[in-house]
Amino acid sequence: MVKIMVNQHNSIVRCGALALVLFGAASAAGQAQQKPPYWASISKPEARMRTGPSTEFPVTWVYKRENLPVKVVAVHSVWRKVQDPDGEQGWLHVRLLSPKRAAIVIGKDIGALRDAPAANAHISWRVEPGVVGLIEECEKGYCRFETEGRYGYIETARIWGDEAP
C-alpha cells in the first residue's frame, strides 16, 4: 500500500511539473507571437539583464522592481532584448517577463491620480516620480494607474510605458 501511495504521489508530482512546463511554454509562445516592439513588465522580484541572449553572457543589471515596464525591442528564441525606462538595453529570459501593462511615473514633480480622466477632476492620490504601477484604459491623454491598491487617472505625459512602442 505504501508503494502505491508513493507511485500516486510521484504521478501527481510529475503531472504538476508537466503543467508548469506547459504553462511556461504557453507563456513563452504567447510572447513569441508578438512582433517587437511591444510592452512587457518584469514579473519576478529579481531579474538579471545580460549583454546577450544566453546565461553565458555577463549580467549588466539586476532589477529588483517587480512590474517595472520594459519595451521589448528584439526576440531571440526564449530571450527578449528590452529597453528599460532609463534607456538601458539588454537581454532578459522570457520567464522573467509578463504581458501585464505597467508604467513608471516620470518627471521631477509629484504626479496626480485623479478620480476621472480630466484635468479638472478631483485629485484622489499623489505619486512621486519612480512609482511603478499597472495601467489600463489609456485614452484621451490619461491612463488608469494602480499602485499598492490605490488607483486613479494620470496624464500619459507623466508615465513611461503607455505610448505606442
Side-chain angles (χ1 to χ4, degrees):
M1 180 127 178
V2 171
K3 187 174 184 179
I4 293 171
M5 290 178 71
V6 169
N7 286 340
Q8 286 176 339
H9 174 71
N10 287 343
S11 294
I12 291 169
V13 169
R14 282 188 206 121
C15 288
L18 179 61
L20 287 173
V21 167
L22 291 175
F23 176 75
S27 174
Q31 287 191 32
Q33 291 174 4
Q34 288 185 288
K35 292 189 187 237
Y38 64 90
W39 293 103
S41 57
I42 293 177
S43 66
K44 304 291 181 188
E46 184 173 294
R48 289 178 170 78
M49 179 188 277
R50 297 182 178 274
T51 60
S54 164
T55 56
E56 302 296 317
F57 287 93
V59 173
T60 53
W61 289 101
V62 177
Y63 295 97
K64 295 187 177 191
R65 206 81 198 267
E66 202 166 346
N67 292 326
L68 183 73
V70 292
K71 185 186 297 185
V72 176
V73 296
V75 173
H76 178 74
S77 183
V78 294
W79 292 87
R80 303 295 180 263
K81 185 174 188 181
V82 300
Q83 179 179 340
D84 72 14
D86 294 328
E88 296 291 330
Q89 289 192 4
W91 294 86
L92 291 173
H93 194 278
V94 70
R95 68 179 161 70
L96 300 172
L97 297 173
S98 167
K100 282 194 240 178
R101 291 183 66 194
I104 186 169
V105 178
I106 58 172
K108 295 185 190 305
D109 301 325
I110 302 289
L113 293 182
R114 300 181 178 276
D115 288 343
N120 61 351
H122 176 264
I123 296 173
S124 50
W125 304 101
R126 297 191 184 276
V127 288
E128 294 181 348
V131 169
V132 171
L134 299 178
I135 58 171
E136 56 185 53
E137 299 176 23
C138 295
E139 60 182 68
K140 299 180 185 176
Y142 286 85
C143 286
R144 185 177 183 278
F145 184 87
E146 180 180 348
T147 182
E148 297 181 12
R150 296 180 174 151
Y151 61 91
Y153 291 86
I154 190 167
E155 292 178 84
T156 56
R158 292 302 317 270
I159 56 177
W160 185 86
D162 75 304
E163 74 274 359

